[in-house]
Amino acid sequence: MKRPMLTIVVPCYNEEDVLPESARQLTAVLQSLIEEQLIAPESKILFVDDGSQDRTWILINKLMDQNRYVTGIKLARNFGHQKALIAGLETAKEKSDCVISIDADLQDDVGAIRDFVLKYLEGYDIVYGVRNKRETDTAFKRLTAQGFYRLMKWMGVDLVYNHADFRLMSKRALEELSRYKEVNLFLRGVVAQLGFRTAVVYYDRKERFAGTSKYPLKKMLAFAFDGITSFSVVPIRMITLIGFLSFMISSLAGVYIMISKLTGHADSGWTSMMISIWFIGGLLLMSVGLIGEYIGKIYQETKRRPRYSIETDLYSGRAGKSVQATKLAERR
């Protein structure tokens, strides 16, 4: 049987501290799989530089000179983790039989990659890496992450619980994924909708090897909100429901006021009036903002702008001038 060519896609943003160790550990995994004759010798590690401001791209070029398994692409600017991941997946699918995505910080267990490949050889098109537990996370992050998964499930979005972006996808699954052309592509939701045969591999998440997290609270909240608004119209329906409930309460209050007026028990209530105005005003502003978020997504989608721009593609052999400039910067 022909051995599949595997490409491991690693999005990178300012990862110079961890990149050499990531390359070392992933190379060891590839060599082991090749020795077991589970994957083809041409298999690669594809680092995707998402517009890093440190020496990440220089290190990728150095690693490529020293390590035949390493290659890379450089995006024209910082597009964000999800778009960098999509860029890597769409680039890798041209030459690969299967692709594994993993973050550069080494928190995901590289030892699980072998289990991913075994599941692929059994005939599975998508293999999810799922965390056994979240002991390395802070209590706040653990609580908010679990709340996010429960909220998405309540809104009807099909997600794999405790799964991030550590997964294997076959060429067939990647071809199907490439048909999803929306700009606001929430990968965790889309992959779950593809169908095909899926399997799960459980692993223990580790501490970050070096550097700092590139997902602070602000980015995590934005990511969660993007996921919700990309896959569910429940928030819009909730506004309708709240509006209907507000109308009913207002109608009941109006009846009560009229009865009080007719019976001579009406008192002027400045406090209750101000509270009502502030409450309704805040509710209206929140509703308009939420509707605006959906309209903004429609606006972005109708423009049909590309999700990313690749400045240099070493994987496909389209190097361009930036590699020459990088070599020159190294000599200096």
Side-chain angles (χ1 to χ4, degrees):
M1 184 180 73
K2 178 188 174 185
R3 286 180 283 172
M5 177 174 171
L6 168 68
T7 299
I8 301 176
V9 173
V10 189
C12 305
Y13 178 67
N14 293 344
E15 297 286 6
E16 65 176 355
D17 294 333
V18 74
L19 204 61
E21 182 63 19
S22 295
R24 186 190 70 78
Q25 291 193 25
L26 291 173
T27 297
V29 170
L30 280 188
Q31 288 175 333
S32 175
L33 292 172
I34 292 169
E35 287 172 5
E36 289 187 69
Q37 297 189 349
L38 295 176
I39 60 174
E42 299 81 20
S43 297
K44 293 289 184 181
I45 305 165
L46 173 60
F47 289 106
V48 183
D49 180 16
D50 184 25
S52 297
Q53 298 174 351
D54 61 1
R55 298 177 64 253
T56 294
W57 182 241
I58 292 175
L59 285 176
I60 291 172
N61 277 272
K62 280 186 176 180
L63 289 167
M64 187 176 175
D65 289 339
Q66 301 164 3
N67 186 336
R68 70 184 183 89
Y69 298 108
V70 172
T71 185
I73 60 175
K74 177 178 173 60
L75 303 188
R77 62 173 176 83
N78 177 241
F79 286 88
H81 178 272
Q82 292 292 286
K83 289 185 173 63
L85 181 54
I86 294 167
L89 293 176
E90 291 187 339
T91 301
K93 75 178 175 65
E94 301 302 327
K95 293 184 177 182
S96 309
D97 297 302
C98 56
V99 176
I100 292 175
S101 57
I102 186 171
D103 289 339
D105 56 19
L106 295 176
Q107 287 190 278
D108 296 323
D109 184 10
V110 299
I113 291 175
R114 183 179 184 276
D115 296 327
F116 282 19
V117 173
L118 291 176
K119 290 292 184 183
Y120 168 77
L121 294 174
E122 290 175 18
Y124 292 97
D125 288 286
I126 301 172
V127 184
Y128 297 106
V130 176
R131 304 168 191 174
N132 275 319
K133 46 196 173 183
R134 307 184 70 107
E135 291 183 351
T136 58
D137 294 341
T138 63
F140 176 76
K141 186 173 181 180
R142 187 162 54 246
L143 182 65
T144 53
Q146 290 171 348
F148 168 70
Y149 285 112
R150 291 192 182 100
L151 179 63
M152 293 294 278
K153 184 177 181 180
W154 178 75
M155 290 189 174
V157 183
D158 186 20
L159 291 182
V160 178
Y161 189 72
N162 270 345
H163 164 70
D165 291 304
F166 186 29
R167 70 177 75 87
L168 176 146
M169 297 183 70
S170 68
K171 188 180 185 71
R172 181 169 66 159
L174 288 169
E175 292 286 356
E176 188 67 20
L177 177 65
S178 67
R179 295 178 58 206
Y180 288 72
K181 300 298 184 181
E182 60 257 42
V183 174
N184 300 287
L185 188 64
F186 184 62
L187 269 177
R188 298 182 197 183
V190 170
V191 172
Q193 287 192 342
L194 293 180
F196 302 117
R197 292 188 66 196
T198 62
V200 171
V201 170
Y202 293 94
Y203 69 97
D204 292 326
R205 190 165 169 82
K206 303 176 182 179
E207 295 282 354
R208 184 181 176 89
F209 178 80
T212 57
S213 173
K214 306 306 183 295
Y215 257 85
L217 178 61
K218 182 180 177 182
K219 282 192 175 182
M220 285 193 295
L221 291 174
F223 177 73
F225 195 64
D226 277 344
I228 292 168
T229 54
S230 293
F231 268 83
S232 178
V233 294
V234 170
I236 292 288
R237 290 174 180 168
M238 285 177 65
I239 290 176
T240 305
L241 178 61
I242 291 171
F244 178 75
L245 291 175
S246 298
F247 172 75
M248 294 298 294
I249 293 170
S250 300
S251 299
L252 293 173
V255 171
Y256 171 76
I257 291 168
M258 288 299 297
I259 293 172
S260 298
K261 180 71 174 176
L262 293 173
T263 56
H265 294 93
D267 294 321
S268 57
W270 181 84
T271 302
S272 59
M273 182 183 69
M274 292 305 295
I275 290 173
S276 299
I277 291 172
W278 282 104
F279 175 74
I280 294 173
L283 191 64
L284 286 173
L285 287 173
M286 183 181 70
S287 302
V288 169
L290 184 57
I291 293 170
E293 182 70 24
Y294 279 93
I295 293 172
K297 286 186 178 294
I298 296 170
Y299 175 68
Q300 290 178 337
E301 295 295 341
T302 55
K303 285 186 173 184
R304 308 305 298 166
R305 289 179 176 175
R307 291 182 291 216
Y308 56 84
S309 300
I310 296 178
E311 180 179 316
T312 305
D313 182 356
L314 303 178
Y315 182 85
S316 304
R318 297 187 292 271
K321 295 181 180 179
S322 66
V323 172
Q324 299 173 10
T326 301
K327 301 288 187 185
L328 183 60
E330 287 182 54
R331 295 192 192 102
R332 289 175 178 172

